[in-house]
Amino acid sequence: MKQVIYLITILSALVSLMVGCQEDPALYTEADGVYFGTKDTIVNYSFAKYPQKKSDTILVPVNVLGNAGSSDRNFQVEIVKDDTLYSGIEGVHFKLAENVVIPAKAVVGTLPVIVYRTLEMEAGKVVNFAIKLKKNTNFPADGIARGQKLNINLAYIQMPATWGEFTGTITGNFAGYRDNFGTWTPTKYKLILDALYDKETGTTITEFPGSRFSPPIIYNQYVAVVRNYIKTNYPGNYGKPGPILTDPDNSNLPIQVGPANY
């Protein structure tokens, strides 16, 4: 019995010695790097959802491929210069925040990108630019390859892909059908955005995806809201005394919806 106890004691001592001699495993032994944490390599931003805003800030997540630091660590971003691919101009269409950091004890940071609504966006143009991460002493290694560059597209007045046509015989989509909003034009679209604007949230309704045959009930309510908005603000559009809003994008016709006159 004493021999058994003696052997157990010896084995326990050897195991303790072996464990004590092992080094603590490192979570990540390579140099740290950073990468954009967006779901895709392209970010599409539309001012249509925020019709009262002339500028906004896109918060781009930036992740660390590596370990958290004991103090704040700045990271660097640069603009991709290529006039043949990108129309965005720094200071006119966008501005990058300065002195951006990954906070202490964290592996996720944020890059604020300020974007501006301009006249060409109101005329239907899409403005684009690209940014990429740049190595520095805090993050000298490559992060995830696909997350090193980010393309950003800015727009305002763009016809939604789900709009549909006036007759409703091709796509059968709800918005463009004659009983609803009718043919899409920039002027009519701006009117719809203003009519459906919610002051509390600062947002509006920009799309109405779905079939005209079985639309969500709220879609018909949206049409009614826009129609009442026109009747209140532009009674002349419905033959009443008062202001008239005509559409320069469609023969200067007065705008009517639910049903639409064009």
Side-chain angles (χ1 to χ4, degrees), residues 95-176:
K95 180 182 179 181
L96 303 182
E98 300 178 353
N99 301 319
V100 284
V101 301
I102 303 294
K105 300 179 181 180
V107 291
V108 177
T110 301
L111 169 66
V113 179
I114 303 171
V115 294
Y116 304 100
R117 192 175 97 191
T118 57
L119 291 177
E120 63 259 58
M121 294 179 203
E122 296 187 15
K125 182 180 178 181
V126 177
V127 174
N128 63 336
F129 62 96
I131 55 178
K132 64 180 181 179
L133 292 161
K134 184 179 179 181
K135 296 178 183 178
N136 63 7
T137 54
N138 290 319
F139 302 102
D142 292 319
I144 295 176
R146 70 181 300 274
Q148 295 303 298
K149 178 182 173 183
L150 186 66
N151 294 282
I152 300 178
N153 298 324
L154 306 178
Y156 177 32
I157 301 299
Q158 292 284 312
M159 184 175 76
T162 58
W163 192 265
E165 64 288 329
F166 190 75
T167 61
T169 57
I170 301 174
T171 65
N173 288 344
F174 176 87

Side-chain angles (χ1 to χ4, degrees), residues 36-117:
F36 292 120
T38 53
K39 293 181 180 180
D40 201 349
T41 57
I42 299 175
V43 171
N44 294 307
Y45 177 92
S46 176
F47 280 99
K49 189 172 180 63
Y50 314 96
Q52 302 300 314
K53 286 188 176 183
K54 298 295 184 180
S55 66
D56 202 358
T57 301
I58 302 173
L59 300 178
V60 179
V62 177
N63 300 340
V64 176
L65 184 62
N67 298 312
S70 58
S71 59
D72 291 352
R73 294 178 291 174
N74 76 297
F75 61 90
Q76 292 181 294
V77 183
E78 59 184 354
I79 301 165
V80 178
K81 304 290 185 180
D82 191 336
D83 294 340
T84 63
L85 293 176
Y86 306 111
S87 57
I89 301 173
E90 185 181 16
V92 176
H93 302 109
F94 68 94
K95 180 182 179 181
L96 303 182
E98 300 178 353
N99 301 319
V100 284
V101 301
I102 303 294
K105 300 179 181 180
V107 291
V108 177
T110 301
L111 169 66
V113 179
I114 303 171
V115 294
Y116 304 100
R117 192 175 97 191

